[in-house]
Amino acid sequence: MQNIDLAKVLETVSFIQNKTNFKPQAGVILGSGLSGLVEATDIEHSLEYIDIPNFPVSTVEGHGGKLIFGTLGGKKIVLMSGRFHYYEGYNMQEVTFPIRVMKYLGAEILMVSNAAGGMNAAFKVGDLMVIKDHINLFPEHPLRGRNNAEVGPRFPDMSEPYDTALIKNAHQIAAANNIVMHEGVYIGLQGPTFETRAEYKYLHIIGGDTVGMSTVPEVIVARHMDMKVFGMSVVTDLGIRDELNVITHEEVLEAANAAAPKMALIFSEVLQQLA
Ligand code: HPA
């Protein structure tokens, strides 16, 4: 098995290029409840996932299912409103297929966002965290299989998956706008259950600050193709607390929606400062 079907990627890319000659500099992925960023984007063209050859179709409530081409922070972006999760039943090639397409459309940067549970005692619901590193606890790896060296190396370096300069810019932007923004480690796992109390504790002990069911496969594939990565979590619930901690998808969406404008501002200004 190949870890990437380049012919399929190129087929999708040429389909898109026949619809629009828009060349994005960055790809952006919106997490659950974070579609507020779409409103901040000056949209030029938009395609439903269902109409894009080889694209899987999103099934989760709160996920838009559109590929949007537009301008944010003065930069041309391709934006995924709704992502593909492993827990939906897609394999890792399907989950990460859009990242391959973004790269072959011209995107050199990937900006990812997610709604996540917080394990760090300093975090509150609605806080933002810029991702400085991740821990991959998914049961399947997106680069498993025969590698295509034309696309990326067999053994990609992961010592600095999230771009340090972009993190620094984000801190300055947050401070200038009085936005609380933490920095920390995101743990990605398969879901779809939220974690047990013992699991949240374990995830904190092994070094996690936030936890969610996405992002990590996408970031791995972006780094495989040497894209620069910027990532943010919105803390939508707190895994570490003594009282009984019942988490619902509705709560997650509500907290993410409330934090979306702050995140949109940071994404937009990080883009603005790109060369
Ligand atoms: N755990 C996993 N995924 C999540 C959570 C969580 O607590 N909150 C939002 N997505």
Side-chain angles (χ1 to χ4, degrees), residues 9-217:
V9 173
L10 296 177
E11 184 190 15
T12 303
V13 166
S14 61
F15 169 86
I16 293 170
Q17 286 174 338
N18 277 331
K19 300 265 171 206
T20 172
N21 57 8
F22 193 92
K23 188 172 183 293
Q25 179 178 0
V28 177
I29 305 180
L30 299 181
S32 310
L34 292 168
S35 55
L37 198 112
V38 177
E39 272 110 73
T41 305
D42 187 8
I43 300 174
E44 194 159 307
H45 199 82
S46 147
L47 293 167
E48 303 277 343
Y49 290 164
I50 200 156
D51 297 327
I52 306 175
N54 305 321
F55 248 57
V57 174
S58 184
T59 61
V60 187
E61 185 196 337
H63 294 264
K66 261 190 222 154
L67 195 63
I68 295 168
F69 299 85
T71 307
L72 182 68
K75 299 294 186 306
K76 288 184 158 188
I77 62 166
V78 51
L79 188 148
M80 284 180 78
S81 180
R83 57 152 59 93
F84 303 105
H85 297 89
Y86 185 72
Y87 63 76
E88 293 177 83
Y90 304 114
N91 67 34
M92 283 298 185
Q93 273 64 45
E94 292 169 321
V95 167
T96 58
F97 184 80
I99 320 304
R100 303 292 191 191
V101 171
M102 285 171 159
K103 166 77 182 193
Y104 280 84
L105 283 169
E108 293 294 338
I109 294 169
L110 178 69
M111 301 178 80
V112 281
S113 58
N114 55 60
M119 278 92 68
N120 187 316
F123 293 4
K124 293 197 294 294
V125 168
D127 282 357
L128 302 179
M129 184 192 89
V130 64
I131 305 174
K132 73 154 185 260
D133 207 345
H134 72 223
I135 296 175
N136 180 15
L137 294 187
F138 279 90
E140 196 193 330
H141 200 286
L143 302 182
R144 176 171 173 268
R146 194 149 50 82
N147 188 56
N148 183 343
E150 204 187 311
V151 179
R154 170 72 293 184
F155 300 110
D157 173 67
M158 288 296 273
S159 56
E160 196 193 302
Y162 300 84
D163 190 81
T164 309
L166 297 181
I167 292 174
K168 193 167 156 230
N169 292 353
H171 278 298
Q172 282 164 0
I173 294 160
N177 290 281
N178 285 315
I179 294 172
V180 175
M181 193 186 74
H182 308 286
E183 180 177 313
V185 174
Y186 174 85
I187 298 184
L189 36 68
Q190 64 173 315
T193 42
F194 291 116
E195 289 63 42
T196 65
R197 285 202 262 183
E199 285 165 346
Y200 280 120
K201 189 171 166 194
Y202 154 79
L203 294 169
H204 186 54
I205 290 169
I206 66 168
D209 297 293
T210 58
V211 57
M213 308 170 195
S214 67
T215 304
V216 168

Side-chain angles (χ1 to χ4, degrees), residues 219-246:
V219 170
I220 289 171
V221 162
R223 292 301 302 141
H224 182 235
M225 299 181 293
D226 206 27
M227 295 170 84
K228 274 190 193 175
V229 175
F230 177 78
M232 279 194 106
S233 286
V234 174
V235 178
T236 56
D237 51 85
L238 299 171
I240 300 260
R241 45 180 173 167
D242 290 330
E243 69 267 33
L244 187 62
N245 190 24
V246 179

